Amino acid sequence: MTVFDLSFWDNYKNCIEATSGGNNTVIFDDLEQPSVMVRIPKFAVEDITAGAGTGVHPAFMKSGAQIPEFWVGMYQAKNVNGRALSIPGVDPTAEINFDNALLSCGAKGAGWHLMTNAEWAAVFMLSHALVGADAVHGNTYYGRDYSFKAETGRRNDGGIPGTEAGSPWTLTGSGPLTWRHDLSRFGIADLVGNVWEWNSGLRLVDGEIQIVPDAALDRTGEAHNASTGTWQAILEDGSLTAPGTAGTLKYDASGVNGEGTPVLSTTVTSQSDGATAANCLYKDVTASASVPNLVKQLGLYPHETSMARGTVLLRNLGERLPVRGGRWGNGADAGLAALGTYSLRDYMNLNIGFRPAFAS
């Protein structure tokens, strides 16, 4: 069997649709290559949490209209023929920069895109409501969970989980059900740890938080272009405005030279020198500005503080693109809430991969 065996994957599609009640499927790309996908149905924020406002979560808005669902790759991406596949039991593709991750997803055809930050935040919020704070574990310590040591996956190098050497990322979906977003075999695997994942639709520019509202529509990278993209900044009331407008929300730092704790602010008084960074657990991010619900819904400021996993790590100098979830050696710093906005768009590392998503 290979990933191109259509009869196998047609049967697999029928099987998982039946067993999951339609919440899993296989979607084929423009080259008839399969991706196993997980359905995330539309929800109202107030039905999930009391701390982040009301109305449909922004991940379910497309061209100003509501969509009933979006689909997320069950597995971290494997790049095959220039397309991001979501398939089990393979070494996830890493050492890929932001633009190529975006193009690898968009090349699959209409509806395909790099998972957006809004979609990640929706899954994070939903998972937190379904199974509770910190219930989702992962490869956060060289092939095993850093705290629950019996929870292991199949290391890429065949090494013993917990051994701090070799190639300790795990094959996609090879961990236990506690490594799924809903703790079930139908859930999204490996969102916590293993390799960081590029997200679209978000960046920092000298600390200013900027978003692409219709990031899921961008298959070519045009909307995410560094200078000509459709970036929007956020005001304290949650409305969007042109980047550089006075009073937009930014990430400042509590210490000197961009170090200390991230602070949501309307000014940057402590800026990174390009090497320094601010970091703390997501739950401990503070604010000196009014915090609109949109920022909470996008997973940029805690809507509640019970979770103890997941660190925010940022450099507020220049353009920085986001990664989510953490990597194999991050321990408690990895988590569904984990957010890194420290990487340049052309940065590549063996600990950064990506994941496809689909919305019709």
Side-chain angles (χ1 to χ4, degrees):
M1 186 275 295
T2 73
V3 294
F4 308 108
D5 185 340
L6 292 181
S7 63
F8 170 86
W9 284 106
D10 280 335
N11 289 334
Y12 190 93
K13 172 184 171 74
N14 292 335
C15 179
I16 65 168
E17 286 181 349
T19 56
S20 70
N23 289 310
N24 295 166
T25 191
V26 175
I27 304 178
F28 297 91
D29 64 23
D30 67 328
L31 298 181
E32 296 297 323
Q33 296 180 136
S35 285
V36 183
M37 308 296 288
V38 178
R39 176 178 177 262
I40 304 298
K42 180 172 62 176
F43 62 80
V45 173
E46 66 269 27
D47 293 338
I48 300 300
T49 179
T54 61
V56 172
H57 190 279
F60 301 98
M61 300 299 297
K62 188 174 180 181
S63 298
Q66 294 182 18
I67 59 174
E69 63 200 10
F70 60 84
W71 297 82
V72 175
M74 181 177 282
Y75 307 106
Q76 291 178 325
K78 181 68 174 179
N79 203 341
V80 179
N81 296 319
R83 273 69 170 165
L85 305 192
S86 166
I87 51 177
V90 298
D91 181 16
T93 292
E95 207 165 12
I96 185 170
N97 66 32
F98 172 81
D99 289 321
N100 285 334
L102 193 150
L103 291 173
S104 179
C105 296
K108 292 166 68 65
W112 288 103
H113 57 275
L114 177 64
M115 188 177 185
T116 71
N117 177 74
E119 289 168 341
W120 182 287
V123 172
F124 163 39
M125 188 175 285
L126 180 62
S127 174
H128 191 266
L130 288 172
V131 301
D134 304 321
V136 181
H137 306 155
N139 174 14
T140 56
Y141 197 80
Y142 299 88
R144 66 167 173 82
D145 187 81
Y146 86 100
S147 182
F148 298 88
K149 298 179 181 180
E151 295 183 9
T152 64
R154 293 170 54 206
R155 280 178 49 144
N156 175 66
D157 60 2
I160 298 172
T163 302
E164 297 182 26
S167 304
W169 52 92
T170 50
L171 304 186
T172 55
S174 65
L177 296 184
T178 47
W179 294 14
R180 307 273 179 146
H181 87 283
D182 60 359
L183 311 187
S184 86
R185 63 191 176 108
F186 305 118
I188 305 166
D190 304 323
L191 288 167
V192 174
N194 209 31
V195 292
W196 285 99
E197 299 184 26
W198 289 114
N199 276 189
S200 65
L202 173 69
R203 70 174 180 177
L204 297 187
V205 177
D206 292 331
E208 184 179 60
I209 299 169
Q210 298 179 9
I211 65 172
V212 175
D214 272 332
L217 294 175
D218 188 13
R219 295 177 50 212
T220 65
E222 182 178 354
H224 288 82
N225 184 278
S227 57
T228 61
T230 57
W231 299 100
Q232 295 281 282
I234 305 172
L235 294 168
E236 286 182 279
D237 63 2
S239 62
L240 302 183
T241 188
T245 300
T248 60
L249 292 174
K250 303 168 180 70
Y251 276 128
D252 198 10
S254 66
V256 298
N257 299 322
E259 297 177 303
T261 299
V263 180
L264 189 71
S265 178
T266 56
T267 59
V268 173
T269 61
S270 176
Q271 195 159 53
S272 170
D273 64 9
T276 54
N279 72 91
C280 69
L281 286 175
Y282 174 79
K283 70 182 183 67
D284 295 329
V285 175
T286 62
S288 62
S290 298
V291 182
N293 288 321
L294 175 63
V295 170
K296 298 178 183 179
Q297 292 167 12
L298 294 178
L300 306 178
Y301 189 88
H303 60 278
E304 60 84 34
T305 58
S306 65
M307 75 283 290
R309 289 190 176 205
T311 289
V312 173
L313 175 66
L314 65 91
R315 289 191 175 110
N316 56 8
L317 178 70
E319 184 193 45
R320 305 288 169 166
L321 281 299
V323 291
R324 284 286 197 175
R327 65 174 179 88
W328 64 77
N330 280 152
D333 289 340
L336 280 172
L339 169 64
T341 49
Y342 55 85
S343 296
L344 303 174
R345 68 168 56 221
D346 61 355
Y347 181 69
M348 296 189 296
N349 193 291
L350 282 172
N351 62 33
I352 300 180
F354 65 117
R355 188 182 302 259
F358 181 87
S360 59

